[in-house]
Amino acid sequence: MTMNHHISEPMLMAYAAGTLPEAFNLVLATHLSLCDDCRAQLAACEAVGGALLQDAGSVAMDAGSFEACLARLARPTPAPRLAAKGLFPAPLRDYVGGDLSAVQWKPLGMGVRQAILTTDKLATARLLYIPAGHGVPDHGHRGIELTLVLQGAFSDSTSRFGPGDLEIANEDLDHTPVAEAGMDCICLAATDAPLRFSGLIPRLAQPFLRI
Amino acid sequence: MSEPQAETDWTALLGQVRDTQDRAAFALLFRHFAPRIKGFLMKSGASAALAEECAQDVMATVWQKAHLFDPARASVATWVFTIARNRRIDALRKSRRPEPEDLPWGPEAEPDQQDALEMAQETARLGAALAQLPEKQRALIERAYFGDLSHSEIAQETGLPLGTIKSRIRLALDRLRHHMS
């Protein structure tokens, strides 16, 4: 898979540090599953954490702590999560409970559908289904919106995004993503604040649709 | 008994844990890393009791996942950091941590010693670069990694030389994918 839009360095560093909302982590883990370049960059950011840990101040462990640790070794070893066959990489499958066929879509009108995925409340993650040639309503953001393409492609005022590409939109961007003709577009998106729609009707519907 | 200092020793000790479930080797890893994990978790806001419990848990995970450690892609300290970080998210934020899927191959059965050595040297160089940063900048990075600094506050430019480590890991990934196909 050839990708043109990747995770920015500050965003990868925040993922490595473990300070992002769960919904952002989900989008980034899904991109990382598809992209060796970002995986390598992440490992470099994690090396910073390793260097800090190596130099970190120690706090003495309690007496008997090593024996208590040995007692924990009996628990079962977690199985590795390998690459999944299908459209969704493993981290996304964990949240959906399966591949594309397991998604519980809710219609948003004009053939656009979404499914909210359960994460912590600091941000919201959702799958979006945009029929080929259709757009999602023009919207801005108060916070950051991450959008990862899983199938098809979309374009907005900034660029074209194909499978595996990640768009990081901040509050300066008002955009109308339009799915390319030919194939319906499926995206995984996360926002840390509710979207702002420009038109009145979508704005009224917003509290009900949670988009 | 004196504590081993060089990073390569940690890699060798972890190899003994993986290959022969060597408890003496594990004890040395525990003595070095457990107090650091505890310090890291307390800096992140955990109580001493919670940090103690989590540090034991992290070390137990180190034992159980030793077969997944790849010295061509990370130093032992880096790998331990990632386990401690995930435990912190779980314990302090009560939140799941989505991780990229595991690569479809484990580490190579006999990882290239030279690769592991060079990775350890790069990590040491990064540590030295970190130590030489201006105090203010270093403190910001520490807070980002240890203190739950919010993601919007993380500096755009850290001034750290991450390019070399990244290229090295990228090569290791390419080689693994090539071996597999």
Side-chain angles (χ1 to χ4, degrees):
Chain A
M1 197 181 285
T2 312
M3 283 160 262
N4 296 311
H5 302 278
H6 298 269
I7 308 174
S8 67
E9 183 169 322
M11 189 69 75
L12 260 185
M13 191 158 269
Y15 179 82
T19 52
L20 291 173
E22 186 182 355
F24 282 15
N25 286 341
L26 172 59
V27 177
L28 300 182
T30 304
H31 176 84
L32 284 158
S33 300
L34 303 168
C35 179
D36 279 355
D37 213 47
C38 286
R39 202 188 268 270
Q41 182 70 33
L42 170 66
C45 292
E46 288 174 337
V48 176
L52 288 169
L53 182 71
Q54 189 70 278
D55 280 355
S58 303
V59 174
M61 296 293 283
D62 295 351
S65 143
F66 181 63
E67 291 68 27
C69 176
L70 291 181
R72 290 171 188 262
L73 302 182
R75 65 187 178 179
T77 305
R81 290 152 64 255
L82 297 181
K85 299 248 185 306
L87 184 63
F88 296 166
L92 179 55
R93 290 180 78 110
D94 291 346
Y95 279 75
V96 169
D99 203 37
L100 183 57
S101 59
V103 180
Q104 311 242 326
W105 295 106
K106 300 262 188 326
L108 287 182
M110 307 291 288
V112 178
R113 292 181 276 165
Q114 76 162 358
I116 304 265
L117 304 174
T118 307
T119 60
D120 69 31
K121 300 281 181 255
L122 299 172
T124 308
R126 64 195 194 283
L127 283 162
L128 271 174
Y129 190 105
I130 312 163
H134 283 61
V136 296
D138 187 13
H139 62 281
H141 316 271
R142 267 188 290 274
I144 296 172
E145 182 182 45
L146 304 181
T147 309
L148 172 67
V149 179
L150 298 161
Q151 176 193 296
F154 74 82
S155 298
D156 63 16
S157 54
T158 65
S159 193
R160 175 190 183 272
F161 298 85
D165 280 337
L166 178 75
E167 180 177 45
I168 302 179
N170 63 18
E171 51 199 3
D172 302 330
L173 181 69
D174 257 315
H175 63 162
T176 312
V178 176
E180 233 169 59
M183 188 185 253
D184 295 344
C185 180
I186 299 174
C187 299
L188 173 63
T191 42
D192 61 354
L195 306 185
R196 283 180 314 212
F197 286 93
S198 314
L200 178 64
I201 298 302
R203 220 175 343 166
L204 290 176
Q206 192 170 356
F208 305 102
L209 299 175
R210 284 185 64 205
I211 55 177
Chain B
M1 195 182 332
S2 70
E3 222 186 47
Q5 283 303 324
E7 176 61 36
T8 42
D9 290 341
W10 303 126
T11 303
L13 288 171
L14 195 55
Q16 285 163 249
V17 169
R18 178 196 60 212
D19 296 337
T20 60
Q21 287 78 51
D22 183 336
R23 291 201 171 195
F26 184 58
L28 289 171
L29 286 161
F30 187 93
R31 191 193 299 173
H32 181 77
F33 285 107
R36 285 173 168 80
I37 298 165
K38 188 171 176 181
F40 160 63
L41 292 168
M42 287 176 70
K43 275 188 189 166
S44 305
S47 67
L50 182 62
E52 166 77 29
E53 143 114 32
C54 290
Q56 289 179 19
D57 202 56
V58 168
M59 289 309 298
T61 304
V62 165
W63 171 283
Q64 289 178 310
K65 291 195 167 177
H67 62 288
L68 294 175
F69 171 68
D70 184 350
R73 288 189 282 141
S75 72
V76 174
T78 297
W79 188 64
V80 170
F81 162 76
T82 62
I83 297 171
R85 171 201 63 201
N86 291 1
R87 192 70 187 83
R88 181 189 71 194
I89 292 171
D90 190 44
L92 294 183
R93 301 216 339 227
K94 311 271 184 245
S95 170
R96 286 163 78 189
R97 161 78 179 189
E99 283 281 310
E101 61 198 18
D102 294 316
L103 296 170
W105 53 82
E108 290 171 288
E110 293 294 328
D112 192 311
Q113 295 284 323
Q114 191 59 28
D115 282 351
L117 187 66
E118 283 172 16
M119 184 43 104
Q121 286 167 347
E122 285 303 333
T123 310
R125 255 177 236 134
L126 179 63
L130 199 58
Q132 281 160 16
L133 282 180
E135 182 51 36
K136 222 173 136 188
Q137 206 173 343
R138 186 190 149 92
L140 195 71
I141 295 175
E142 266 195 24
R143 279 181 57 215
Y145 278 80
F146 288 4
D148 259 2
L149 190 70
S150 101
H151 62 87
S152 55
E153 294 171 271
I154 290 191
Q156 295 284 320
E157 290 297 331
T158 58
L160 288 171
L162 296 179
T164 331
I165 290 203
K166 186 210 159 174
S167 323
R168 198 161 277 294
I169 298 163
R170 187 67 225 259
L171 285 175
L173 287 172
D174 285 348
R175 198 173 52 235
L176 284 166
R177 287 218 188 267
H178 181 73
H179 273 246
M180 192 183 59
S181 57

